[in-house]
């Protein structure tokens, strides 16, 4: 049959010109592979970035004080403001950002660590995993219990024991009981926050003698984040003296910027990979033309 004869002749030509055939196939494979690899890398990087950014940020907005050029004042968030925010509709929890760097001492050694004030749902929302002991309860937070959660590597450094639950950690004149050991999420470890020690935020605020907060994370009920943003905006606008002193940050806005950047990056990478594919195609066309030219005397003009 004509089809079988064509295939036979094609294989005979491939065998007769092994180097040429190999180089032609190599050009096609490299070009096609470049497009596939680049597309996969960009998609994978985008998904990893999105997961990292959204870790613990679902249904959450951040309220931050800013500086107003008009009034020449900085905004302030006080304890009374926290209570007001908690009473807004659709608000599930309010967590001020409180963190200080202090020297901490255990029974074995001492080290510099960052103390982070947290609420009862912080551990779960931000992807921490309790490996020993337990996390904070609502009662721990409400009673300002002098307790803390530590990482297992910090345990080995300052306690020198395998099971630290029940041990005492000292920060200046404050003694904290270790109630649990946590494994930190990879996203925070990559940000260099491996020396974080978690304690109830009101306990930390008392230690820091702070009456004002740098920022506040407001967590909404499931699917109510836009409603909460509206309520917070109304609350700010209801007091003319606070105009321009606060900013509402939505992690979804940053996420959209990341997606736009990823799309642009993908387009650039695909163009570069497409050039590789084009070069491979030109090489293949050159080989085909050479092959046809060699057989012209056999097949005629």
């Amino acid at each position: 049959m004509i089809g079988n004869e064509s295939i036979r002749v094609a294989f005979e030509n491939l065998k007769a010109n092994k180097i040429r055939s190999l180089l032609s196939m190599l050009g096609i494979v490299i070009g096609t592979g470049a497009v596939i690899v680049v597309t996969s890398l960009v998609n994978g990087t985008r998904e990893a970035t999105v997961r990292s950014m959204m870790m613990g940020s679902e249904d959450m907005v951040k309220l931050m004080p800013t500086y107003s050029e008009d009034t020449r004042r900085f905004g302030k968030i006080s304890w009374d403001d926290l209570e007001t925010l908690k009473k807004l509709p659709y608000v599930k929890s309010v967590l001020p950002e409180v963190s200080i760097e202090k020297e901490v001492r255990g029974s074995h050694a001492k080290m510099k660590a960052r103390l982070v004030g947290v609420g009862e749902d912080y551990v779960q929302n931000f992807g921490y995993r309790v490996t020993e002991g337990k996390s904070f309860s609502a009662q721990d937070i409400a009673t300002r219990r002098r307790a803390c959660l530590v990482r297992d590597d910090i345990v080995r450094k300052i306690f020198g024991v395998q099971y630290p639950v029940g041990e005492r950690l000292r920060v200046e004149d404050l003694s904290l009981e270790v109630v649990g050991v946590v494994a930190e999420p990879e996203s925070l470890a990559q940000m260099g926050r491996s020396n974080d020690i978690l304690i109830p935020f009101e306990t930390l605020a008392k230690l820091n003698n702070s009456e004002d907060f740098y920022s506040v994370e407001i967590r909404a009920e499931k699917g109510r984040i836009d409603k909460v943003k509206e309520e917070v905006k109304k609350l700010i606008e209801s007091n003319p003296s606070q105009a321009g002193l606060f900013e509402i940050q939505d992690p979804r806005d940053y996420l959209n910027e990341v997606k736009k950047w990823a799309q642009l990056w993908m387009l650039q990478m695909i163009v570069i990979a497409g050039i590789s594919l084009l070069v491979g195609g030109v090489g293949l066309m050159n080989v085909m033309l050479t092959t046809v030219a060699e057989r012209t005397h056999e097949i005629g003009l």
Side-chain angles (χ1 to χ4, degrees), residues 20 282-296:
R20 181 192 301 175
V282 170
L284 177 61
M285 287 188 292
N286 183 48
V287 172
M288 294 174 65
L289 286 173
T290 303
T291 303
V292 171
E294 290 176 348
R295 306 297 293 272
T296 301

Side-chain angles (χ1 to χ4, degrees), residues 23-158:
L23 293 176
S24 300
M25 293 172 59
L26 191 61
I28 297 173
V29 170
I30 290 177
T32 306
V35 174
I36 295 173
V37 169
V38 167
T39 304
S40 300
L41 282 175
V42 173
N43 278 331
T45 303
R46 180 180 62 183
E47 292 300 321
T49 303
V50 168
R51 285 197 301 268
S52 176
M53 289 186 63
M54 294 307 293
M55 178 67 74
S57 298
E58 300 86 352
D59 298 311
M60 186 269 287
V61 293
K62 181 177 286 189
L63 180 64
M64 295 190 65
T66 58
Y67 179 74
S68 172
E69 292 287 350
D70 297 331
T71 60
R72 297 186 180 279
R73 292 190 299 124
F74 281 100
K76 291 184 178 181
I77 302 176
S78 64
W79 286 100
D80 291 338
D81 296 327
L82 295 184
E83 295 301 321
T84 302
L85 290 171
K86 289 178 182 178
K87 296 176 182 178
L88 291 178
Y90 312 115
V91 171
K92 182 179 178 181
S93 63
V94 175
L95 177 64
E97 182 176 342
V98 189
S99 65
I100 56 175
E101 188 169 319
K102 293 282 188 180
E103 183 178 81
V104 297
R105 301 188 303 276
S107 57
H108 183 70
K110 59 184 179 181
M111 64 178 291
K112 282 282 189 179
R114 181 170 175 263
L115 305 178
V116 181
V118 303
E120 64 174 300
D121 56 352
Y122 182 94
V123 171
Q124 179 181 359
N125 290 334
F126 283 85
Y128 286 87
R129 182 169 52 87
V130 179
T131 58
E132 295 177 16
K134 63 183 183 66
S135 183
F136 297 126
S137 64
Q139 185 178 4
D140 293 335
I141 303 299
T143 59
R144 302 186 182 186
R145 182 180 177 184
R146 296 183 176 184
C148 65
L149 298 172
V150 297
R151 283 172 48 93
D152 54 359
D153 55 343
I154 295 179
V155 167
R156 291 191 295 271
K157 288 178 182 177
I158 64 177

